[in-house]
Amino acid sequence: MLFDYSGVIDQELLKRVVNFHEEIFSKINACHSFKRKVITSIIETLQNVTRYGLKNNTGYPEGKFASCYDENDFVFECSNEINSGQLNSIQQQLTELSANSIDALKGQYMTRINEDWVDPEKGAKLGLLYLFINSEKNISFSFQNKEENNYLFILKISLKR
Amino acid sequence: MNKIELSPTDELPYVKFDADLGYLEISGRSFPQDVNKFYGPLLNWIKEYGKHPLNDTLFKCNIEYFNTSSQKFLAEILKELNRIHKMSLSVKVEWMYCSDDEDLMTIGKEFEKFLDLKFDYKSI
């Protein structure tokens, strides 16, 4: 285990997580391509939580983030609460993304990158698409029913060295 | 026009936009939470510069990590530079990438496909 965190997920945590993993990869002399793939995947995952995660009573989303690494793979898992309204939308997105080839996903990504608008609150809305491409579809996901019609959204991503 | 020079941070790149030199540079990491707040003024600066550009403009892009929202704004910046290029003026894009990260060069090539501009790829 490299990193194991539970609590508020915000931009400050993201910066800490990025700096931590960057130091680890520098120590093991990981190539820049792999390092960039891991770090940008972490950025998209945690910013998805900061933008879409269900907020606690202080206005911040909470969740868990854990990462581990062996000779071949870097794996991380992130979980956060969402509401029942978000569940259908996320499930639909994930199902559609899973059904596409990597080349088709890359084509979609570049087309959408060249569209004009970025939502100030929600960003480019390309996070999941980017994660599917970056991980070459090595993504698993699940939803656990929680209290008050909320769900725990668990995303696990594996990146090959 | 005002020059822009911004120091890099943990989440924001170094930026230098100088209309007198026709020099634009974005270097480092870019994953702001509010991408509009950071890139909006930069995009406006380029639109303003595009009204009276120099004969030669150089854009040096040396991004280490960027989030998807930053990539969208980078695409907007490149489109503005493409407009200047279409005025029959010289616009050079230097796309820097680490020698062990050819994927980053590929990202540049994907951007280039949507533009008339030709990128100069420089391994560092």
Side-chain angles (χ1 to χ4, degrees):
Chain A
M1 184 71 72
L2 285 176
F3 199 94
D4 190 11
Y5 173 85
S6 177
V8 166
I9 293 185
D10 60 7
Q11 187 74 1
E12 288 310 307
L13 173 77
L14 171 58
K15 286 190 267 183
R16 269 173 46 208
V17 174
V18 166
N19 289 338
F20 173 85
H21 287 89
E22 204 172 31
E23 267 182 41
I24 296 283
F25 290 132
S26 294
K27 281 180 190 165
I28 61 167
N29 286 323
C31 76
H32 193 268
S33 172
F34 178 69
K35 193 167 80 169
R36 189 177 48 76
K37 207 176 273 190
V38 168
I39 293 200
T40 54
S41 296
I42 290 172
I43 291 169
E44 290 305 321
T45 301
L46 292 180
Q47 285 193 329
N48 265 351
V49 178
T50 62
R51 289 184 170 124
Y52 297 100
L54 217 55
K55 309 268 190 296
N56 65 16
N57 52 15
T58 60
Y60 290 99
E62 291 183 8
K64 290 182 180 178
F65 177 87
S67 66
C68 61
Y69 179 63
D70 65 25
E71 277 182 14
N72 301 313
D73 293 314
F74 177 89
V75 181
F76 70 88
E77 187 173 291
C78 184
S79 59
N80 65 285
E81 275 194 49
I82 56 170
N83 62 34
S84 56
Q86 293 171 298
L87 175 71
N88 290 337
S89 158
I90 294 172
Q91 272 180 326
Q92 191 184 344
Q93 270 191 71
L94 291 168
T95 306
E96 284 172 10
L97 291 167
S98 302
N100 278 289
S101 68
I102 298 286
D103 283 344
L105 294 174
K106 284 180 179 172
Q108 277 180 37
Y109 182 77
M110 284 315 293
T111 302
R112 290 179 57 190
I113 275 287
N114 281 286
E115 288 172 357
D116 282 333
W117 189 70
V118 177
D119 187 313
E121 296 290 320
K122 304 295 182 192
K125 299 183 178 177
L126 289 169
L128 286 175
L129 174 54
Y130 187 78
L131 290 170
F132 268 74
I133 295 168
N134 239 5
S135 67
E136 295 173 342
K137 293 175 71 175
N138 285 307
I139 289 188
S140 59
F141 50 89
S142 61
F143 300 91
Q144 285 174 11
N145 207 338
K146 300 270 289 180
E147 58 201 17
E148 296 175 357
N149 278 334
N150 292 339
Y151 291 83
L152 190 66
F153 172 34
I154 305 165
L155 194 63
K156 187 175 177 182
I157 296 178
S158 177
L159 298 148
K160 297 222 173 292
R161 193 168 181 179
Chain B
M1 276 185 76
N2 288 338
K3 290 174 189 167
I4 297 178
E5 187 156 18
L6 305 174
S7 299
T9 70
D10 279 351
E11 60 184 333
L12 299 173
Y14 168 75
V15 175
K16 184 176 181 181
F17 286 1
D18 188 330
D20 294 337
L21 299 173
Y23 182 79
L24 294 79
E25 178 179 347
I26 299 178
S27 294
R29 39 174 70 185
S30 179
F31 54 96
Q33 174 80 0
D34 185 348
V35 76
N36 287 284
K37 189 176 167 188
F38 182 72
Y39 279 99
L42 300 181
L43 195 55
N44 288 338
W45 188 98
I46 295 177
K47 285 178 178 170
E48 200 57 37
Y49 173 75
K51 291 177 184 171
H52 306 286
L54 296 188
N55 287 336
D56 295 293
T57 302
L58 172 64
F59 174 46
K60 185 175 169 182
C61 185
N62 184 12
I63 298 283
E64 190 182 6
Y65 315 121
F66 39 24
N67 63 358
T68 51
S69 303
S70 297
Q71 283 195 46
K72 280 195 80 123
F73 267 93
L74 185 57
E76 288 306 306
I77 286 169
L78 288 165
K79 281 185 213 167
E80 288 303 322
L81 293 171
N82 202 50
R83 285 191 189 100
I84 296 171
H85 172 73
K86 283 184 167 176
M87 296 158 72
S88 300
L89 297 171
S90 162
V91 178
K92 287 183 181 167
V93 177
E94 281 186 2
W95 186 272
M96 323 294 280
Y97 66 98
C98 271
S99 54
D100 62 352
D101 190 0
E102 293 205 348
D103 290 346
L104 190 53
M105 182 177 73
T106 307
I107 292 172
K109 288 189 181 293
E110 290 297 323
F111 277 120
E112 199 179 358
K113 279 183 194 169
F114 287 83
L115 304 163
D116 304 306
L117 288 169
K118 295 288 165 237
F119 289 16
D120 185 10
Y121 295 95
K122 294 199 167 176
S123 161
I124 48 173

